Structures are given as C-alpha cells and as structure tokens.
Amino acid sequence: MKTSIYRYLWLGNLLSTYTEIFYLFAVITIVYRKTESAWQLAIITFLIIIGKFIGNTLNSIMFKMKASVLQFVKTILLLILVFYDSYQSVSLFFIQFVTLLVLVLNGLLQQHSNILHSFISNREDSMESAGFLSYLDQAILLSGWFIAGMLFEKINSEGILIVTCILSLICLIIFFSVPQRKKSIYQKSFMDRMIGVKKYFHLTKFHFIYVLETIIKIVWIASILYLFVHLELKKGEFWWGIVNAVFFIGMVLAHFIQKKFHSTLVKFQYQMIFIFCSVISIVLLLLAINRSLIIVLFLFLVASFCNQLKENLVYSAFIEKINPNKLTSILDSQGTTMTILMAISVLVTGYIVEQFGVQLVYFIACVFSFITIPIYYFGKIIK
C-alpha cells in the first residue's frame, strides 16, 4: 500500500474523476446559458451517456493504446475548447462534438484505471486498494459537485474549464510516469454485447422492472437536476452543485448502513424494498409540488439514501436467481439495454421539459415508481 504505483493509482483516479465532474459542470452550464433550452441540454446529456458507452465498448479494440496517449488527446481537446471559447463564442455543435470525444476517451481511460490494480502484487494490498478506492470515489463524487459550485461563484464556467485543463495535464504527467503492462485483459466487444442482448432478451422482458427503474433514474441525472433547480427553485449553479452533493451524501450514508446492517437488510429484503419504493414514490410526488429549498434538499437526501439501498437489495435478490456461469453475460447485456434506454429517455425528458415543464417529469417518475410497488411486493419479479 506504500508503493509509488499505488500512490499514482489513487492520485490519478482522484484527479481524473474531478476532471470529469468539472467538465460536465462547465459544459451543462455553458450549453444552457447559450440556449436556455431543455432540449439542447438533453442532447448534450445524450452525447455524454452515449460517449461513455462507446468508450467502454471500444476498449476491446483500443485497449493496447497507452493511457498516456488517450489522456494526451483528451487534454488537447480540452485546451482547444478553452482556447476557442476565449477568443470567440464557441458554437454549440463544436461543444457537442468535443463532449462526445471527451466522454469516449473517459470510457477508454476507465478501463486503464481498473487495470492498474494488477501492479499491486500482494493480494491483501489489492483488496485493501479496492476498498480504499471505493471510499475515495464516494468522497470525490460528494465533494466534486460542491467544489464545482464554489468555483463557479468565483470564476464562472470558462474558469472551471481552465481548471479542468490543468487537472487533465497533471493526469497526463501521472499516466506518462506509470509503466505499462504488456498483459491485457479480455473485454467484450460491442457486437458481443449486442449478441448478448438478443440472447437474453427473454430475460430482459421478464425483468421489465429494470426498464421502469431506468426511466425513474432519469430525474436524478445531473442535467435534469440542473433544470429542476433553475426552473422550479429559481436558484443558480451554486445550489445545483449543493443538490448534487446532498444526493451523494445520501448514497454514502446508504453505503455505511448497508455494511453495518447487511444481515438484517437481507433477512427482510422484500419488506425493505417495499418500504424504500413507497418512500421514493412519496418523495417524487413531494418534489413535483414543493418549492422550499430546505425541504427539497432533505427530500433529495432521503431519495438517494432509499434508492441506493433499494438498488442493492434488488440486485442481490436478482443474482440469487441467476446461474453464476451466465451472470456476467446477463449483466453485460442488460447494462447495454439499459444504457440505450436511458439515452433515449433523456431525449424524451428534454422534450417534455421544453414543452410542459420539469414538474411533469417528476409526476411521471412518481407514477412509474408507484407502479413498481405492487410489482415488487406481489409479483414474481424477484421472488
């Protein structure tokens, strides 16, 4: 745990995640300030989801490319965007194009980040490393949006982009300093995943509850939260950062509760899923009709807490029914289906907000959430 490789590992992960958060914060605010259009914000969110998905599926082809090369290309793109925006009003298409490329590179770099664990030869250290990085990721997500909101108050979106470039340059130096492994790992290609989607389509239909859950998740996406804070609460970007940070606080609390009371939660998992679904449904209804900032922050905290615990319990109940030999293939195919569904749902959500307002989106999510309650409790979806 005291090796230089390990220190590179956690420092690189820390800076890379902050870079992604700051970039998303800057891009979302820039796009909305330029257009004041929920539809355009939905398009940029669609490109973010698809870009990350493409990066994750392309890693089987491009995995041999050095992480330093990928980071170098990403840094150049960020520098071009900052330079272009400094001298003239950057076009919306250019922002969309750069965002897609940056998120593709993020998806590719994520695989290189995972392979760094192979540098830790001792098994205990490797397990300790994984646990440490799990806590680190939560801490970064918790603090990243808060810090981004604070930075926005001081240096605006363009300044955050410059900070993002600086962090990306530091990550580039780190990746150049880390030796490359000749050994690679097998990663499923896009075609493999699509074949899996077709192969296990009957299972996806049987577990259509995941479709409903994916649609409900749309209201927790950063860009939709931005529209909620801006249009419903009439607050600025600082409070958007606070809302995101509060949401991740709920996830962190759920993580600790699950570790401490894991056996109790598993013993009463179906009853707990019913309770969490009910609470989330009520919270979504209150978010659709409430405008008090303090109450909204509390509701987001409760929603993220219950949603995280519910997802963990549903996942545990789901994998109990699956043949362990087929579990990886099923999860890959299901993840592909849900990612595509989420990307499409974001576009539909953007259109709804553009035409009818963000309040309707939370009402729709509330209805879908109430539908899941009898399915979980009385149905045979996870029993």
Side-chain angles (χ1 to χ4, degrees):
M1 295 294 287
K2 297 180 180 180
T3 64
S4 60
I5 293 297
Y6 180 76
R7 289 193 289 269
Y8 277 128
L9 172 63
W10 74 259
L11 181 60
N13 273 276
L14 183 148
L15 295 179
S16 182
T17 307
Y18 273 127
T19 299
E20 185 170 347
I21 292 173
F22 290 169
Y23 180 76
L24 296 181
F25 191 102
V27 165
I28 289 173
T29 53
I30 289 173
V31 168
Y32 192 77
R33 290 197 166 200
K34 280 180 174 293
T35 64
E36 295 188 354
S37 168
W39 173 246
Q40 292 297 334
L41 205 57
I43 290 176
I44 204 73
T45 307
F46 172 84
L47 293 174
I48 289 169
I49 296 172
I50 292 299
K52 198 73 176 284
F53 174 72
I54 292 173
N56 286 330
T57 54
L58 281 180
N59 65 74
S60 60
I61 301 172
M62 302 179 64
F63 189 81
K64 291 183 180 179
M65 186 176 291
K66 291 184 178 181
S68 55
V69 174
L70 297 172
Q71 187 66 39
F72 176 76
V73 175
K74 176 182 172 181
T75 304
I76 292 298
L77 287 171
L78 293 173
L79 289 171
I80 291 173
L81 182 59
V82 170
F83 181 80
Y84 190 22
D85 192 45
S86 300
Y87 286 91
Q88 56 180 313
S89 180
V90 63
S91 68
L92 187 60
F93 174 78
F94 184 75
I95 294 175
Q96 293 170 346
F97 179 70
V98 171
T99 297
L100 179 63
L101 293 180
V102 167
L103 268 296
V104 169
L105 292 169
N106 281 346
L108 290 167
L109 284 166
Q110 185 174 345
Q111 303 302 322
H112 284 277
S113 174
N114 294 338
I115 200 69
L116 284 175
H117 285 289
S118 64
F119 287 108
I120 304 174
S121 57
N122 185 279
R123 185 174 181 273
E124 287 72 21
D125 282 353
S126 182
M127 293 176 64
E128 187 177 348
S129 165
F132 173 76
L133 289 177
S134 173
Y135 286 107
L136 181 66
D137 287 342
Q138 293 174 349
I140 295 170
L141 291 171
L142 172 60
S143 61
W145 289 99
F146 177 77
I147 294 172
M150 296 288 290
L151 286 174
F152 183 87
E153 293 291 301
K154 302 293 183 181
I155 56 179
N156 219 318
S157 301
E158 290 73 17
I160 294 178
L161 271 181
I162 294 173
V163 172
T164 303
C165 285
I166 294 172
L167 293 179
S168 187
L169 284 168
I170 298 173
C171 287
L172 178 60
I173 295 171
I174 291 174
F175 279 121
F176 266 120
S177 303
V178 174
Q180 297 293 312
R181 284 283 197 194
K182 293 182 179 180
K183 174 179 140 184
S184 82
I185 56 176
Y186 172 74
Q187 298 289 333
K188 283 198 170 185
S189 67
F190 176 73
M191 289 307 299
D192 289 334
R193 296 188 184 202
M194 293 311 295
I195 290 172
V197 170
K198 184 178 179 180
K199 183 178 180 181
Y200 299 109
F201 186 66
H202 67 285
L203 188 64
T204 304
K205 290 192 295 184
F206 181 73
H207 292 281
F208 72 97
I209 188 70
Y210 282 98
V211 174
L212 296 177
E213 291 289 359
T214 300
I215 295 172
I216 295 169
K217 280 182 185 179
I218 296 298
V219 298
W220 313 127
I221 290 178
S223 56
I224 305 303
L225 293 179
Y226 179 85
L227 292 170
F228 180 83
V229 171
H230 187 78
L231 298 176
E232 295 299 314
L233 299 181
K234 308 299 181 185
K235 300 294 182 179
E237 284 75 7
F238 171 76
W239 285 105
W240 173 48
I242 295 296
V243 166
N244 278 286
V246 167
F247 191 81
F248 285 111
I249 289 174
M251 294 176 65
V252 172
L253 291 175
H255 177 77
F256 284 113
I257 292 296
Q258 182 166 5
K259 289 196 69 174
K260 190 171 183 62
F261 302 102
H262 177 72
S263 58
T264 303
L265 290 171
V266 171
K267 183 179 180 180
F268 301 101
Q269 62 181 349
Y270 300 113
Q271 294 89 335
M272 298 307 298
I273 289 171
F274 173 77
I275 292 172
F276 292 143
C277 278
S278 301
V279 173
I280 292 170
S281 302
I282 295 170
V283 167
L284 287 168
L285 178 61
L286 293 175
L287 285 172
I289 61 178
N290 186 74
R291 299 295 175 273
S292 171
L293 178 61
I294 301 300
I295 294 177
V296 164
L297 290 175
F298 175 74
L299 291 175
F300 275 118
L301 179 67
V302 173
S304 62
F305 176 81
C306 293
N307 188 65
Q308 186 65 34
L309 286 174
K310 182 195 72 175
E311 284 188 357
N312 293 339
L313 290 173
V314 170
Y315 177 78
S316 298
F318 174 71
I319 62 177
E320 286 176 1
K321 301 180 61 178
I322 304 301
N323 185 334
N325 297 326
K326 297 181 179 180
L327 181 60
T328 301
S329 297
I330 291 172
L331 292 178
D332 278 342
S333 62
Q334 192 174 69
T336 299
T337 305
M338 295 305 114
T339 300
I340 295 172
L341 175 63
M342 178 169 284
I344 296 172
S345 299
V346 164
L347 293 178
V348 174
T349 301
Y351 177 80
I352 292 174
V353 175
E354 187 85 4
Q355 298 297 322
F356 308 104
V358 70
Q359 187 179 36
L360 180 60
V361 172
Y362 282 84
F363 271 120
I364 294 173
C366 173
V367 171
F368 278 117
S369 186
F370 272 116
I371 291 174
T372 63
I373 295 176
I375 295 175
Y376 277 128
Y377 195 68
F378 300 110
K380 297 180 180 180
I381 297 299
I382 58 175
K383 290 187 179 182

